Amino acid sequence: MEHPSVALVRAPNPGPMTLDGTNSYVLRAPGASGCVVVDPGPLDEGHLDALAAHGPVELILLTHHHHDHSDAIDAFHARTGAPVRAVDAAWCRDAAPVADGERITAAGLDLEILATPGHTADSLCVVLPGEGEHGAVLTGDTVLGSGTTIIADPDGALGPYLDSLARLRELGTPGPVAVLPGHGPELPDLRAICEAYLAHREERLAQVRAALAAIGPDASAEAVTDVVYGDVDPAVRFAAEASVRAQLAYLRS
């Protein structure tokens, strides 16, 4: 899908958790001189060179604090002089935190910030209402281009995540909103993927309930993971356990 105001610069950090690498995005309206960079990514000089080549950079936005999105914040801030804004003030540089619903005008674009906690407490999405026929949303790790995301307990939590998915699903538009995720390929329909994610979470909760019925209501996250995620790749077992902890906290609350 064509996005005249969006350039994808993928970081060279593929892996089980990052898929084919972290997606950094450069936002610029056609004809605008400056740009906005979303998620500078890992501290890789070649990657930062590629991002800086799109400059001058007016603003850096961070979708959440996980290291594969944020490790380059200080280096890229020093290189470009651009302020860094995020939900969490600890990750801001020379700027205030963003607020839910805030509208930002930069690089010739009107951007809207949506706080979407769940994957992490500080997760946000960036809405580009004027991009394409029905708009686009940069979803960070709240919605991925392939598979589903981890609920990074205890920082992340399932209740807020379900609320965030429901909110994204209902973004006001008469047609499909494009999804520009933090990892993986673009997806064509935000509503459809949010509905699929919500259904997946309900299936997982049903599996966790069944596991607790079989092995006892006080079962540990490790024991429940053995049942629900028995075939998970050992490389991402820790992520499965984090999601199970989040599901158990949700059910037990």
Side-chain angles (χ1 to χ4, degrees), residues 5-162:
S5 302
V6 182
L8 167 63
V9 183
R10 181 169 291 122
N13 62 332
M17 294 297 295
T18 56
L19 305 181
D20 47 2
T22 300
N23 292 338
S24 298
Y25 292 98
V26 179
L27 311 180
R28 172 190 274 115
S33 58
C35 67
V36 175
V37 170
V38 180
D39 287 347
L43 187 53
D44 179 275
E45 289 301 323
H47 182 60
L48 297 189
D49 288 344
L51 289 172
H54 289 267
V57 181
E58 295 182 12
L59 175 65
I60 302 165
L61 292 173
L62 186 67
T63 64
H64 65 295
H65 70 272
H66 281 165
H67 68 89
D68 55 314
H69 296 255
S70 67
D71 274 359
I73 282 292
D74 287 320
F76 200 60
H77 169 60
R79 178 185 290 213
T80 64
V84 181
R85 301 193 67 193
V87 167
D88 186 344
W91 293 95
C92 295
R93 306 290 184 265
D94 296 335
V98 295
D100 182 38
E102 181 176 351
R103 296 180 183 274
I104 297 172
T105 299
L109 298 170
D110 293 322
L111 313 175
E112 182 178 354
I113 302 298
L114 290 185
T116 51
H119 170 67
T120 62
D122 67 339
S123 288
L124 65 81
C125 293
V126 181
V127 182
L128 289 77
E131 188 63 24
E133 187 176 1
H134 302 294
V137 181
L138 279 66
T139 55
D141 286 2
T142 298
V143 175
L144 302 180
S146 177
T148 56
T149 195
I150 177 181
I151 308 302
D153 176 86
D155 178 41
L158 183 56
Y161 185 64
L162 296 176

Side-chain angles (χ1 to χ4, degrees), residues 225-252:
T225 303
D226 288 340
V227 175
V228 176
Y229 294 89
D231 57 351
V232 71
D233 183 339
V236 295
R237 164 80 188 206
F238 75 95
E241 288 189 5
S243 287
V244 166
R245 288 196 299 272
Q247 291 170 92
L248 289 174
Y250 178 78
L251 292 174
R252 289 168 174 166

